[in-house]
Amino acid sequence: MDAWSRGIFLKRKHLTFAVTKMVEEVNKLSEFVIEMKGITKTFPGTKALDKVDLSIKPGEIHALLGENGAGKSTLMNVLIGQYTMDEGEIFMDGQPVKIGSPKEAFAKNIVIVPQELNLIPEASIAENIFLGNERAKGTLINWKDAQREAAELLKLLDVEIDVMQPVKKLSAAYQQLVSIARALAYSPRVLILDEPTAVLTNKEAVTLFASMRRLKKAGTSMIFITHHLDEVMEQADRATIMRDGQLVKVTEIKDITKDEIITNMAGKKVQESKHVNRKVSDEVFFEAQNMTRPGEFSDVSFKVRKGEILCVAGLVGAGRTEIFKSVFGITRPEPGAKMFVEGKEVDIKEPGAALKLGMGYVSEERRHDGITPGMSVMENMMLPSYDQLKKNGLINFKEAAKITDEYIGRFRIKTAGREALIKNLSGGNQQKVIVARWMAKGIKMLIMDEPTRGIDVNAKAEIHALVRELADNGVAVVVISSEMEEVLALADRVMVVHQGKIKGYIEDVDMTTEEDVLKVAFQ
């Protein structure tokens, strides 16, 4: 740890992260800072956890691994008091504890950074970091101290930005870093990181890992949930692997390979998605000309062919998402832009117009834009298709149920049934419902923004197979992805975007490397 970092850690009480003599003595009382024993949790129709054990050592990075729906998030929600376990015990420093709410978890310095962002868009960065953990003198909040300390916490993550600006102005990557800074403000002894690098660039992820190593050296224990197994192999000390709500294996990372982790997660050997050479029609489905939105993208023109998988690559913040939000009518480009569908000029003023033209959209913000949490799996899947199922003004719900059940089976969606609320599904299974929604609708072009973010290797391969199936059936598919492996596995053609401009295309994807894509971006 360099002198500057050491000064930041020791400067204030809430930044020491368990470096004191007292914590050292407490750590000696038990081999584990946290022990969860025999944890069982049942939801209606589903046994989410079945006698699961988890033990975390002081100052270790412990990977919690498993496919979507394996029970990882449920186990963490039990640990932080969000869910009440049906059976089992939790120990902290060898002593039994009861954690009845996230507030009680905070009081014990157990803090989670959730996968889905839960910031207040209109509030400032500083306000978000100290929300519920305010720096107060008597009854008055000391905003000057809060702003200074917020800036210090962000510096630990190598981020220097104006902490008074509203969070809504930040990219998803910077919002994730603000969420991590908010967790650090609680001086965590146990820090739970749920897919922390999902929206980060490689450079931002490297900075986060450096911060994790500093925290580890200072005595903080981390539970690291990720589907990026390369990160696990490089950063974690030990791993607990789960499958179908049960404990499969606890191992030192040095004693296991990535392929063995995947096999333990899936219960079988999984073939990772490989590039497939496909023959694509020359017939253009969609064309954009001279699209500009100040501050987002400039003079963008491109074509998408029928049956083509066009992958859009570039760094986070390059303008990829913004371009296709305008294509789908979520935002409007400046006057002068033109769009054509099957050769006919169209005016897409809002998403409803895009839907009528046979276009679908899978948002990168699954929980915010993709699902309606209070509705069932069937309602979320069939909502855009109800018009097609009407007869004499009445929806044929029997047919809707039949189609839903077909896709639940075909996509291997883990759910108690079509009437289960979608909010009770894991993130990966929610994503499968969203993809099924557009397949059931019978769309002609599908825009997918980060379609496999937070999805395990097995589910990712399944989604990739479904994308190819769509394209094989003549659907034009646009995949926006920050994962270069995904881009190179899926693409028939790669469109490279940098700083709001299309920098070029890669046609011969089979012979392409990540470095080749970056060269195009920066040329």
Side-chain angles (χ1 to χ4, degrees):
M1 187 187 301
D2 56 42
W4 180 86
S5 297
R6 191 181 303 111
I8 290 295
F9 271 96
L10 298 177
K11 186 175 179 183
R12 295 182 182 277
K13 183 180 177 182
H14 76 283
L15 292 177
T16 59
F17 306 112
V19 182
T20 64
K21 291 283 185 182
M22 181 187 73
V23 171
E24 290 177 1
E25 290 303 315
V26 168
N27 286 343
K28 290 176 185 176
L29 297 176
S30 172
E31 182 186 356
F32 302 109
V33 62
I34 289 289
E35 289 178 275
M36 304 180 78
K37 296 184 177 181
I39 307 298
T40 298
K41 177 65 180 175
T42 303
F43 295 108
T46 305
K47 197 164 198 175
L49 298 172
D50 186 7
K51 294 182 170 52
V52 176
D53 297 340
L54 177 68
S55 299
I56 309 298
K57 295 178 180 179
E60 78 165 337
I61 298 175
H62 192 108
L64 181 59
L65 307 173
E67 292 187 333
N68 296 105
K72 306 182 300 294
S73 295
T74 303
L75 187 64
M76 292 301 95
N77 278 319
V78 169
L79 178 57
I80 66 169
Q82 190 73 46
Y83 294 158
T84 303
M85 58 190 164
D86 301 331
E87 298 175 27
E89 295 178 287
I90 299 175
F91 296 84
M92 193 165 187
D93 301 315
Q95 301 299 312
V97 293
K98 292 192 180 298
I99 304 173
S101 70
K103 188 174 180 180
E104 290 180 22
F106 288 150
K108 291 177 169 57
N109 301 100
I110 302 171
V111 188
I112 188 169
V113 180
Q115 180 181 349
E116 303 294 342
L117 298 173
N118 58 356
L119 303 173
I120 299 175
E122 303 295 334
S124 72
I125 292 169
E127 288 169 331
N128 270 280
I129 286 176
F130 290 108
L131 185 66
N133 186 25
E134 289 83 2
R135 299 292 177 257
K137 287 183 178 178
T139 58
L140 297 175
I141 296 173
N142 189 329
W143 286 115
K144 191 174 180 180
D145 277 358
Q147 291 159 24
R148 183 174 61 253
E149 292 176 11
E152 288 172 357
L153 286 162
L154 286 166
K155 278 183 183 178
L156 292 173
L157 302 170
D158 205 21
V159 174
E160 294 193 42
I161 50 178
D162 176 12
V163 297
M164 291 306 295
Q165 65 178 304
V167 158
K168 68 180 180 181
K169 290 190 174 181
L170 302 180
S171 67
Y174 275 100
Q175 288 187 30
Q176 177 76 335
L177 292 167
V178 169
S179 291
I180 294 169
R182 179 166 70 181
L184 297 183
Y186 282 92
S187 307
R189 286 194 65 209
V190 179
L191 179 62
I192 304 163
L193 297 165
D194 192 350
E195 296 288 351
T197 62
V199 296
L200 302 185
T201 64
N202 288 340
K203 182 180 177 182
E204 289 163 342
V206 167
T207 300
L208 173 62
F209 295 143
S211 299
M212 287 170 63
R213 288 191 292 272
R214 289 198 294 267
L215 287 167
K216 172 183 170 179
K217 192 172 181 180
T220 301
S221 303
M222 280 158 280
I223 301 174
F224 182 30
I225 303 172
T226 181
H227 292 299
H228 297 289
L229 297 185
D230 288 337
E231 295 175 355
V232 171
M233 302 308 291
E234 291 172 10
Q235 307 301 328
D237 300 302
R238 292 192 306 140
T240 291
I241 303 172
M242 298 178 63
R243 183 172 68 243
D244 297 330
Q246 296 182 325
L247 174 65
V248 174
K249 189 178 185 69
V250 180
T251 180
E252 298 279 342
I253 293 299
K254 61 182 176 59
D255 295 333
I256 197 168
T257 66
K258 187 167 80 166
D259 285 346
E260 287 169 342
I261 289 175
I262 293 170
T263 300
N264 276 284
M265 285 167 53
K268 61 184 179 183
K269 192 166 181 62
V270 176
Q271 293 295 322
E272 293 190 49
S273 185
K274 303 284 186 186
H275 186 262
V276 176
N277 285 314
R278 302 175 58 256
K279 195 167 184 179
V280 178
S281 164
D282 290 329
E283 195 175 352
V284 174
F285 175 77
F286 177 86
E287 181 178 0
Q289 294 180 0
N290 310 119
M291 288 175 58
T292 294
R293 230 179 113 79
E296 294 184 358
F297 52 86
S298 175
D299 197 24
V300 167
S301 300
F302 62 92
K303 298 176 182 179
V304 189
R305 295 172 291 179
K306 292 182 178 180
E308 176 182 33
I309 303 172
L310 175 68
C311 284
V312 186
L315 302 177
V316 171
R320 301 165 304 164
T321 295
E322 290 76 10
I323 290 169
F324 285 93
K325 278 187 173 180
S326 279
V327 167
F328 197 67
I330 297 170
T331 60
R332 294 276 285 166
E334 283 199 324
K338 291 184 178 181
M339 296 187 205
F340 302 84
V341 169
E342 297 183 297
K344 180 182 177 183
E345 187 170 356
V346 295
D347 186 12
I348 304 176
K349 293 181 178 178
E350 40 82 33
L355 283 171
K356 287 178 183 175
L357 292 166
M359 297 165 69
Y361 184 82
V362 178
S363 168
E364 65 174 327
E365 297 295 340
R366 180 170 55 236
R367 287 189 183 274
H368 187 265
D369 300 324
I371 65 169
T372 305
M375 286 186 173
S376 69
V377 169
M378 184 173 84
E379 289 168 320
N380 272 275
M381 191 185 297
M382 299 306 300
L383 204 57
S385 301
Y386 279 150
D387 279 348
Q388 297 162 221
L389 298 175
K390 279 183 180 176
K391 190 173 183 181
N392 300 323
L394 298 174
I395 296 171
N396 185 339
F397 285 105
K398 187 175 180 180
E399 182 65 19
K402 180 182 174 183
I403 294 169
T404 303
D405 288 344
E406 177 190 332
Y407 279 105
I408 286 173
R410 186 171 160 195
F411 281 29
R412 297 180 188 149
I413 297 170
K414 291 181 181 177
T415 173
R418 75 176 90 94
E419 298 301 331
L421 295 181
I422 196 169
K423 68 180 181 181
N424 292 333
L425 273 60
S426 70
N429 285 298
Q430 289 174 358
Q431 190 75 325
K432 288 182 184 180
V433 172
I434 296 167
V435 175
R437 168 192 297 164
W438 298 115
M439 292 188 77
K441 174 71 176 170
I443 40 84
K444 297 178 181 179
M445 175 171 160
L446 182 60
I447 301 163
M448 307 178 79
D449 197 349
E450 305 290 358
T452 60
R453 176 185 293 163
I455 290 179
D456 61 74
V457 174
N458 198 30
K460 183 177 290 190
E462 291 173 349
I463 293 288
H464 287 181
L466 292 167
V467 168
R468 292 191 187 102
E469 184 181 327
L470 274 169
D472 288 343
N473 289 329
V475 177
V477 184
V478 176
V479 176
I480 304 165
S481 179
S482 300
E483 292 190 32
M484 203 54 61
E485 284 183 15
E486 178 165 72
V487 168
L488 299 180
L490 276 180
D492 298 313
R493 190 165 55 111
V494 180
M495 183 170 90
V496 185
V497 179
H498 185 60
Q499 294 181 338
K501 292 181 180 291
I502 296 174
K503 303 295 285 189
Y505 295 88
I506 295 172
E507 305 277 351
D508 191 1
V509 180
D510 241 354
M511 305 299 292
T512 301
T513 66
E514 182 173 349
E515 289 74 19
D516 294 330
V517 176
L518 290 173
K519 282 177 186 174
V520 174
F522 290 107
Q523 68 183 4

